[in-house]
Amino acid sequence: MDSSDADADGILAEQLLRVTRRLQRIQSRQLEPIGITPAQFRLLRTVAHYDGPPRMADLAQRLDVVPRAVTSLVDGLEASGRVRRAPDPDNRRVVRIEMTEEGRATLRSLRDARRAAAEEILAPLTVEQREVLGGLLTALVNGMPERRC
């Protein structure tokens, strides 16, 4: 790789970071009135991916965080009525996290906010350009090491 390729890659990396930051700012602006943090949104999405209520340890592993971080997120979501802790029927030492109806409604609102943020970012692109970008992003994501969320 010569220096012009490295320069082009550096410019591309900076552009990707700028788009990501812009998307995060838009999404944060949309999350604020709902009263939820991006980390809580991620936890809600993760809980929703399970067929049944996951254990706290499952969430920590899936989110790639320490269990204490999950406890703090669950505390906030439980205080707002979006999730509840439930005992495991087979092991009384295990706590499972159930999403409430309020949590499901919040998740729907958040998904709508996320789509609106994406629309705002993608507005300058034609349908064909969006398809090309989607293919390129898929190639990048598929080339990355396995991540669960």
Side-chain angles (χ1 to χ4, degrees):
M1 176 185 294
D2 65 25
S3 65
S4 64
D5 289 341
D7 290 345
D9 287 349
I11 291 169
L12 185 56
E14 180 59 30
Q15 289 171 320
L16 285 169
L17 287 171
R18 289 177 64 197
V19 168
T20 301
R21 284 188 211 116
R22 183 171 172 219
L23 186 59
Q24 288 171 336
R25 279 193 309 273
I26 293 166
Q27 187 173 345
S28 291
R29 191 174 62 233
Q30 292 169 331
L31 293 178
E32 190 175 341
I34 298 171
I36 193 166
T37 67
Q40 288 173 331
F41 176 32
R42 187 172 177 227
L43 182 83
L44 275 180
R45 282 191 348 248
T46 303
V47 170
H49 280 94
Y50 283 90
D51 292 331
R55 298 174 312 143
M56 300 272 278
D58 297 331
L59 292 170
Q61 182 178 11
R62 173 80 53 99
L63 294 169
D64 196 25
V65 298
V66 296
R68 177 71 191 125
V70 171
T71 301
S72 296
L73 291 171
V74 169
D75 287 346
L77 289 169
E78 189 174 41
S80 67
R82 292 179 172 117
V83 299
R84 71 177 148 260
R85 286 175 168 89
D88 184 295
D90 300 323
N91 184 343
R92 63 189 181 113
R93 293 177 297 167
V94 173
V95 175
R96 296 199 173 261
I97 305 304
E98 297 178 341
M99 192 173 320
T100 64
E101 186 52 46
E102 176 69 24
R104 285 186 280 282
T106 298
L107 195 54
R108 284 189 297 274
S109 295
L110 294 169
R111 286 180 176 151
D112 291 344
R114 192 174 206 187
R115 272 192 289 283
E119 274 300 316
E120 187 175 328
I121 292 285
L122 298 172
L125 301 180
T126 66
V127 171
E128 292 81 17
Q129 289 170 324
R130 289 178 187 207
E131 289 174 5
V132 169
L133 178 61
L136 294 170
L137 292 173
T138 297
L140 289 174
V141 168
N142 290 342
M144 294 172 59
E146 181 69 26
R147 294 279 315 200
R148 292 186 179 104
C149 278

